């Protein structure tokens, strides 16, 4: 049996990933209610909203008001996402946004052009300037994310050597400024990954950058999300982006079915970890209630499993009473 991590950290992305892909613009009070409920579960990182073009993503047009409306819980990191300098300046000027220096890289040139309006090479070069912006704002680099690292709906299979090269690049541009890169996330943005590929890519990146903590941003587009997480756990990965009720998906990723594009489901993976004896610090029953709240707010059945079936706690409790 492989050595599993003793504790796993989940970074919740549902409020941003989930609501941005929906065609409906949901009331601010509903979105605030979900964020505040998530903060009560033991999650320590919640991605609230994007600072992006309201023309292209109107669902995120009120991000400043969103952050202003949240009753903050101590110890919770309320994050925002930006894709360009204008978005970063908005986030920087918004009270309540917990900022972190982020390096964004693309393993797919085609997706870079769709999502960011520039080539992957141009995006990589821009990250040097981003490190200057962060330094000016008093921020250190916190993590790099390599998008479409497992495959791309526009470009097809992605060579793993390209992903490793981008990981080295992120580390090296930080080192040039005398900074360390603490974390790298490999993103399966469009749900191309499988367990064997996950093991291989994690192993290659870890071999190249053993000093950097590795995280995964996985999508469950084709039903392999939990299997890929299990493969990563067996490789010792202890950091995952995830989304309550399986919400989310990139609106520019050309998914065949946007409703199936969501991130790996937070409560399902917390359940998996708890069943394996891995600590998360998360109250699973409270998180399940958040998933059910998200389903009520969205107004259709969502893709999480534990939110519908329930955990095993009540069945185990009945066994205990019977004994």
């Amino acid at each position: 049996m492989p050595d599993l991590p003793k504790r796993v950290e989940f970074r919740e992305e549902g409020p941003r990933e989930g609501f941005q892909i929906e065609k409906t613009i949901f009331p601010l009070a509903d979105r605030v209610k979900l964020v505040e409920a998530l903060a009560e579960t033991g999650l320590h990182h919640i991605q609230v909203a994007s600072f992006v073009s309201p023309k292209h993503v109107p669902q995120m047009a009120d991000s400043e008001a969103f952050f202003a409306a949240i009753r903050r819980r101590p110890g919770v990191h309320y994050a925002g996402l930006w894709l360009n300098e204008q978005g970063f300046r908005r986030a920087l000027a918004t009270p309540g946004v917990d900022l972190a220096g982020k390096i964004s890289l693309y393993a797919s040139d085609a997706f870079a052009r769709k999502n960011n309006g520039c080539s992957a090479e141009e995006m990589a070069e821009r990250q040097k300037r981003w490190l200057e912006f962060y330094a000016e704002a008093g921020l250190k680099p916190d993590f790099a994310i390599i998008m479409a690292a497992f495959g791309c709906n526009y470009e097809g299979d992605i060579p793993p050597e390209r992903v490793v090269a981008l990981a080295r690049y992120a580390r090296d541009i930080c080192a040039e400024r005398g900074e360390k890169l603490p974390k790298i996330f490999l993103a399966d943005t469009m749900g191309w990954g499988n367990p064997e590929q996950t093991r291989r890519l994690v192993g290659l990146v870890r071999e190249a950058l053993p000093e950097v903590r590795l995280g995964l941003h996985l999508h469950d587009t084709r039903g392999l999300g939990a299997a890929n997480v299990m493969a990563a756990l067996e490789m010792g990965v202890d950091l995952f982006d995830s989304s309550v009720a399986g919400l989310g998906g990139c609106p520019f990723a050309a998914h065949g079915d946007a409703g199936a594009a969501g991130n790996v489901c937070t409560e399902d993976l917390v359940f998996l970890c708890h069943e394996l004896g891995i600590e998360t610090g998360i109250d699973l029953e409270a998180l399940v209630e958040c998933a059910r709240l998200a389903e009520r707010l969205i107004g259709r059945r969502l893709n999480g499993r534990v939110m519908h079936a329930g955990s095993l706690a009540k069945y185990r409790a009945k066994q205990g009473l019977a004994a």
Side-chain angles (χ1 to χ4, degrees):
M1 180 71 177
D3 288 334
L4 300 174
K6 290 182 171 56
R7 186 180 182 90
V8 165
E9 178 184 353
F10 290 100
R11 293 161 43 117
E12 174 61 45
E13 300 210 325
R16 194 273 303 175
E17 277 264 9
F19 289 114
Q20 78 169 15
I21 201 171
E22 298 293 325
K23 297 190 182 300
T24 302
I25 298 177
F26 291 89
L28 179 63
D30 287 349
R31 289 175 280 146
V32 168
K33 186 177 181 180
L34 180 59
V35 169
E36 291 180 348
L38 287 166
E40 297 293 327
T41 66
L43 287 162
H44 292 294
H45 182 104
I46 302 172
Q47 193 172 83
V48 174
S50 301
F51 293 91
V52 291
S53 166
K55 176 182 177 182
H56 296 296
V57 190
Q59 300 88 336
M60 296 284 115
D62 61 353
S63 294
E64 287 87 351
F66 197 169
F67 275 94
I70 295 169
R71 289 175 299 173
R72 296 171 62 87
R73 181 179 176 85
V76 177
H77 184 102
Y78 296 86
L81 177 118
W82 54 85
L83 297 177
N84 55 33
E85 183 181 353
Q86 182 180 1
F88 175 61
R89 298 301 178 194
R90 283 177 60 195
L92 193 61
T94 301
V97 181
D98 292 313
L99 298 164
K102 176 192 69 170
I103 295 170
S104 298
L105 300 167
Y106 288 88
S108 163
D109 186 72
F111 182 52
R113 294 178 187 276
K114 290 287 185 179
N115 200 48
N116 242 96
C118 67
S119 71
E121 185 176 355
E122 288 171 320
M123 190 67 177
E125 186 62 29
R126 289 178 185 179
Q127 301 315 298
K128 297 175 182 178
R129 179 62 178 142
W130 275 110
L131 290 174
E132 294 179 14
F133 290 150
Y134 297 145
E136 291 166 4
L139 300 174
K140 289 184 174 294
D142 181 59
F143 70 96
I145 183 166
I146 303 174
M147 288 167 277
F150 292 74
C152 175
N153 290 344
Y154 300 105
E155 202 165 300
D157 293 309
I158 299 295
E161 313 83 61
R162 185 185 302 171
V163 178
V164 173
L166 287 168
R168 286 195 178 106
Y169 175 82
R171 177 198 58 191
D172 292 347
I173 62 173
C174 291
E176 288 169 5
R177 301 183 62 87
E179 301 282 4
K180 290 185 177 180
L181 179 64
K183 299 183 286 286
I184 289 181
F185 283 85
L186 306 179
D188 186 15
T189 315
M190 301 173 219
W192 279 60
N194 63 63
E196 184 55 38
Q197 182 187 17
T198 299
R199 292 186 191 94
R200 184 169 65 251
L201 196 55
V202 166
L204 288 170
V205 174
R206 182 172 283 153
E207 183 180 356
L209 286 81
E211 76 282 7
V212 178
R213 186 184 183 192
L214 193 58
L216 294 182
H217 176 108
L218 301 173
H219 285 240
D220 195 32
T221 313
R222 293 169 179 84
L224 293 182
N228 294 338
V229 169
M230 188 66 213
L233 290 172
E234 291 174 346
M235 295 290 291
V237 176
D238 65 354
L239 179 61
F240 297 90
D241 287 341
S242 60
S243 182
V244 64
L247 288 168
C250 175
F252 306 111
H255 291 293
D257 177 4
N263 283 27
V264 287
C265 178
T266 311
E267 67 274 10
D268 290 0
L269 299 185
V270 170
F271 173 76
L272 171 64
C273 286
H274 290 183
E275 290 297 302
L276 294 172
I278 300 172
E279 296 179 9
T280 66
I282 295 171
D283 181 336
L284 177 59
E285 301 305 325
L287 188 57
V288 166
E289 288 306 312
C290 289
R292 292 169 179 163
L293 170 61
E295 185 171 74
R296 292 195 298 272
L297 296 180
I298 295 292
R300 68 170 189 277
R301 186 178 175 89
L302 297 179
N303 293 331
R305 299 300 184 90
V306 176
M307 65 182 287
H308 296 121
S311 73
L312 295 177
K314 62 180 180 181
Y315 301 103
R316 288 185 172 129
K318 287 180 182 178
Q319 287 177 335
L321 288 174

